[in-house]
Amino acid sequence: MYMKSKDMVELVNTQSWMDKGLSSQNEIKEQERRPGSYGMLGTLTEEHDSIEEEEEEEEDGDKPKRRGPKKKKMTKARLERFRARRVKANARERTRMHGLNDALDNLRRVMPCYSKTQKLSKIETLRLARNYIWALSEVLETGQTLEGKGFVEMLCKGLSQPTSNLVAGCLQLGPQSALLEKHEEKSPICDSTVSVHTFNYQSPGLPSPPYGHMETHPLHLKPQPFKSLGDSFGSHPPDCSTPPYEGPLTPPLSISGNFSLKQDGSPDLEKSYNFMSHYTTTSSGHVHSTPFQTGTPRYDVPVDLTYDSYSHHGIGTQLNAIFSD
DNA sequence: TAGGCCATCTGGTCCT
DNA sequence: AGGACCAGATGGCCTA
């Protein structure tokens, strides 16, 4: 009854995978590698068989009868249809999740800190995005210049120490670094070949470009030395393709509504992140933390680090948690 | 080995 | 009926 994974790959491949051009050997191998994939269908079939048996038992047993429409017998034909439907649904779901991941990737690209080699995790990307929106709306609302330190602090609220270090490191890069990035396709700070960084956060001025890629980031459409956020966004918005906004400002984006703020105006994030760490990268491009050794001299970003550790839920749950707090 | 992160499968629900 | 969306479950990979 078990369908071999190879057969399943072929089956799926002939469906939506071909449509999306996802039929590379690597991806097929990825599918074959995954234990949760396809083999489960066999299990599922058995489950249905057992349901039938259970129903038969119910008829002559003492158990109360099941309500609702009686389940039809799983004939071979029905089973086949069910299986085909399931395979199609799986393929759709896969495609959907790929789309979601693509969107997340696009989001990563416009974040103040982007590196192809050092991807932020999904949850950290969402947190950073929230902070970024918050910081930008703060600029729009108050029109005030954000000090570099303050900007970084805003961005790092609620982020893990490794991500905070990463953000702070990226924001410290000057235009030279942007050039480097252009040549090397990655920021030296974010280079995954450099495994450990600490940041001596000393810039009293404003964050310097790049915030990610010059080509894509809205703040980089006019690559010029950063004066200040106030200068850049004051009466004359940056020279970008977006026409100047003439209408009333977006009602403060309901900062207090979108982000629950403490009295000092910072997002209210409960738990403290109570260990200090460097950030390191893995071969898979993820940021990982390394706790500092006691007594090791270090220069950390003086960010009031808080970290609300959401439990491991689905991304939907995580989104809810992020946007409801 | 534990924990974080991830991709995938799956069944339920809602919508068209 | 079929597709989109969602959340739970599962297991692999990686690092500390």
Side-chain angles (χ1 to χ4, degrees), chain A residues 17 172 216 246 322:
Chain A
W17 283 56
Q172 261 194 284
T216 56
E246 291 174 353
I322 286 169

Side-chain angles (χ1 to χ4, degrees), chain A residues 155-174:
Chain A
L155 290 180
C156 292
K157 289 283 182 188
L159 298 184
S160 67
Q161 175 77 50
T163 310
S164 299
N165 285 343
L166 180 61
V167 171
C170 287
L171 290 187
Q172 261 194 284
L173 293 179

Side-chain angles (χ1 to χ4, degrees), chain A residues 161-162 275-280 288-294 296 298:
Chain A
Q161 175 77 50
F275 66 88
M276 306 298 284
S277 61
H278 297 268
Y279 79 80
T280 59
H288 280 262
S289 62
T290 311
F292 280 112
Q293 287 179 342
T294 316
T296 306
R298 59 173 186 262

Side-chain angles (χ1 to χ4, degrees), chain A residues 45-72:
Chain A
T45 303
E46 288 184 344
E47 264 174 30
H48 277 269
D49 289 342
S50 67
I51 286 174
E52 279 180 47
E53 287 166 18
E54 192 183 313
E55 282 181 350
E56 283 165 14
E57 273 175 23
E58 261 184 37
E59 284 176 1
D60 39 358
D62 292 338
K63 294 174 190 170
K65 283 190 176 179
R66 182 184 291 177
R67 297 182 185 196
K70 190 175 180 179
K71 283 201 174 176
K72 290 178 187 170

Side-chain angles (χ1 to χ4, degrees), chain A residues 2-26:
Chain A
Y2 283 82
M3 196 179 269
K4 286 185 181 172
S5 59
K6 197 180 163 191
D7 299 335
M8 292 300 298
V9 169
E10 266 186 40
L11 182 55
V12 171
N13 212 18
T14 54
Q15 298 180 0
S16 65
W17 283 56
M18 290 296 264
D19 301 338
K20 274 207 82 184
L22 293 175
S23 56
S24 72
Q25 284 289 3
N26 283 346

